[in-house]
């Protein structure tokens, strides 16, 4: 491992490093958990990783660039973390909504967009294609609580009314919009993620153990694209606006 890193001219901080296994095979995940718990026999344990004499720890959940990755890439751990942060930040909105603070509804909604929805929107193109409906609902419940605090509506208020009054999209629709717009940007030949727009399709993954951004939204986005004779998209900016209009 050390020779491999040195060959790539990479410097690794062993004290800040960890490793895990990403797979959709349940048996492998169960074995990984047993390895973490130390319940397997030594001959059955996953090989340890040593770098410069330091034993790199094994973790089931790793946080990379603000996204908590779980072993099966279902992002439920990330959703749990984000929903807790949104609910905690909702206390700020409640404090601003008191008679002493006297903030108006528009200011409270803007505050939620800054300290609540921004957390939900982060990494939406990664989260949206693979998050379960239960995970989306958990984020939606957190958003509903924040909008109730911002509008002063009671607990029995219908979520549709909350979003109509605040002119906000629901979590699932907004994540879909952000994902579609990101994929539309990928049709720009100079975009670093251009391969997502022209990459593999569902036939390359017959088991469907993982849904990529392209699998989930390529048909929707590609139908709004205009291509020149060379097959290069020419209207990705206009397509972003069209996707926004359709979702809204």
């Amino acid at each position: 491992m050390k020779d491999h890193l040195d060959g790539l001219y990479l410097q690794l901080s062993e004290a800040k490093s960890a490793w895990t296994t990403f797979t959709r095979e349940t048996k492998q995940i169960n074995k990984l958990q047993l390895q973490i718990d130390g319940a397997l026999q030594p001959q059955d344990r996953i090989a340890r990783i040593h770098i410069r004499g330091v034993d790199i720890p094994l973790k089931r959940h790793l946080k990379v660039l603000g996204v908590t990755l779980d072993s099966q890439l279902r992002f439920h751990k990330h959703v749990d973390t984000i929903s807790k942060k949104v609910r905690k930040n909702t206390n700020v909105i409640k404090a601003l909504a008191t008679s002493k603070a006297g903030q108006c509804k528009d200011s409270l909604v803007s505050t939620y967009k800054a300290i609540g929805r921004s957390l939900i929107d982060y990494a939406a193109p990664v989260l949206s294609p693979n998050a379960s409906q239960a995970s989306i609902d958990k984020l939606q419940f957190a958003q509903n609580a924040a909008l109730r605090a911002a509008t002063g509506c009671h607990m029995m208020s219908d979520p549709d009314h909350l979003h109509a009054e605040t002119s906000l999209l629901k979590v699932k629709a907004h994540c879909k919009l952000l994902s579609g717009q990101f994929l539309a940007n990928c049709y720009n030949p100079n975009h670093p993620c251009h391969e997502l727009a022209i990459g593999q399709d569902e036939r390359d993954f017959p088991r469907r153990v993982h849904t990529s951004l392209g699998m989930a939204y390529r048909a929707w986005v590609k139908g709004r694209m205009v291509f020149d004779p060379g097959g290069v998209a020419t209207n990705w900016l206009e397509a972003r606006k069209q996707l926004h209009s359709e979702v809204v």
Side-chain angles (χ1 to χ4, degrees):
M1 179 64 72
K2 178 181 180 300
D3 295 338
H4 178 70
L5 294 175
D6 292 341
L8 297 175
Y9 301 98
L10 294 177
Q11 292 184 351
L12 180 68
S13 175
E14 295 83 358
K16 299 179 181 179
S17 301
W19 71 278
T20 188
T21 300
F22 295 107
T23 176
R24 282 296 181 90
E25 297 292 343
T26 306
K27 292 182 179 180
Q28 293 295 329
I29 296 299
N30 293 337
K31 184 177 181 180
L32 177 63
Q33 186 60 47
L34 291 174
Q35 163 66 14
I36 296 175
D37 297 337
L40 288 178
Q41 297 296 324
Q43 64 271 18
D44 296 329
R45 292 180 180 176
I46 303 173
R48 294 182 178 272
I49 296 179
H50 299 273
I51 300 179
R52 299 184 181 95
V54 178
D55 188 5
I56 305 300
L58 169 64
K59 293 184 179 180
R60 188 165 184 174
H61 303 109
L62 294 178
K63 190 173 184 179
V64 180
L65 298 178
V67 179
T68 304
L69 303 175
D70 56 276
S71 298
Q72 291 184 294
L73 295 178
R74 300 188 185 277
F75 299 99
H76 59 279
K77 186 67 175 179
H78 177 74
V79 169
D80 290 342
T81 303
I82 294 301
S83 62
K84 290 178 181 178
K85 288 183 178 180
V86 173
R87 290 186 179 275
K88 182 179 180 180
N89 292 345
T90 300
N91 294 329
V92 177
I93 300 175
K94 293 179 179 179
L96 294 174
T98 60
S99 57
K100 292 183 179 180
Q103 295 295 320
C104 65
K105 182 189 70 175
D106 292 339
S107 296
L108 296 175
V109 173
S110 297
T111 301
Y112 166 68
K113 291 180 180 179
I115 65 176
R117 196 178 70 171
S118 60
L119 298 175
I120 298 176
D121 292 348
Y122 184 72
V126 178
L127 173 70
S128 179
N130 290 286
S132 65
Q133 186 60 46
S135 295
I136 297 296
D137 290 343
K138 188 174 293 186
L139 295 175
Q140 184 63 61
F141 294 153
Q143 177 166 288
N144 292 346
L147 296 184
R148 288 191 178 96
T151 58
C153 293
H154 54 77
M155 292 294 295
M156 296 301 292
S157 299
D158 189 89
D160 291 334
H161 168 71
L162 294 173
H163 291 79
E165 185 172 346
T166 56
S167 299
L168 290 179
L169 290 171
K170 291 187 176 181
V171 171
K172 186 174 183 178
H174 197 244
C175 288
K176 177 182 178 180
L177 172 60
L178 295 177
S179 301
Q181 289 182 326
F182 176 78
L183 187 58
N185 285 338
C186 293
Y187 276 90
N188 180 356
N190 297 322
H191 197 282
C193 297
H194 182 58
E195 291 184 0
L196 291 176
I198 59 174
Q200 298 163 316
D201 56 24
E202 297 181 9
R203 291 173 295 180
D204 298 315
F205 300 93
R207 293 184 60 195
R208 289 301 300 274
V209 296
H210 185 76
T211 303
S212 67
L213 178 68
M215 289 181 187
Y217 301 113
R218 186 181 292 123
W220 177 45
V221 175
K222 190 175 182 179
R224 280 78 187 160
M225 289 292 172
V226 176
F227 298 91
D228 62 14
V232 179
T234 59
N235 69 325
W236 57 87
L237 293 178
E238 292 77 7
R240 284 172 50 91
K241 299 178 181 179
Q242 185 178 353
L243 294 174
H244 180 271
S245 299
E246 291 180 8
V247 173
V248 171

